[in-house]
Amino acid sequence: MLNELWKEESEVPPHVAFGNILNPYLINLLKLTKSERKKLVIILGVIEQMALSNDVDVRNVVSVSVMARLGGDGTTVLTNALKYLGEQTKV
């Protein structure tokens, strides 16, 4: 099924990679204890750099494929995420 979403035979579109692969992992980290903080800081640091990008498509991946899902996944996830999000990501 996911093969139909690939741009080319072996290329994963950004919205699929971030929405279907990264998000479930990130949401699980946000539900866990503070012991996973280091991973969250690294991942959300990358997301912050993407949010600062001059490329509108990159910023679109952040808002549509990552943040929309975190915001819609319940209060615990969003509350935990807000502790680690960079300023531009929060925008």
Side-chain angles (χ1 to χ4, degrees):
M1 178 176 162
L2 284 178
N3 285 338
E4 297 169 8
L5 300 173
W6 292 173
K7 285 183 179 180
E8 294 178 13
E9 213 171 289
S10 63
E11 184 179 342
V12 180
H15 287 285
V16 173
F18 284 86
N20 295 348
I21 298 169
L22 177 69
N23 267 348
Y25 179 72
L26 184 56
I27 288 167
N28 282 335
L29 286 178
L30 287 163
K31 290 179 181 177
L32 297 175
T33 64
K34 290 183 179 181
S35 66
E36 301 296 336
R37 182 173 186 256
K38 188 174 184 175
K39 292 176 187 175
L40 285 171
V41 169
I42 292 168
I43 292 169
L44 293 174
V46 170
I47 299 299
E48 176 71 4
Q49 290 303 307
M50 292 173 67
L52 291 167
S53 174
N54 291 327
D55 187 330
V56 70
D57 291 331
V58 172
R59 292 192 314 268
N60 189 35
V61 168
V62 172
S63 64
V64 173
S65 295
V66 179
M67 297 312 300
R69 174 89 182 266
L70 292 184
D73 204 81
T75 7
T76 303
V77 170
L78 183 58
T79 301
N80 287 341
L82 288 172
K83 298 173 191 174
Y84 302 100
L85 294 178
E87 291 304 313
Q88 188 60 39
T89 307
K90 290 178 184 177
V91 171

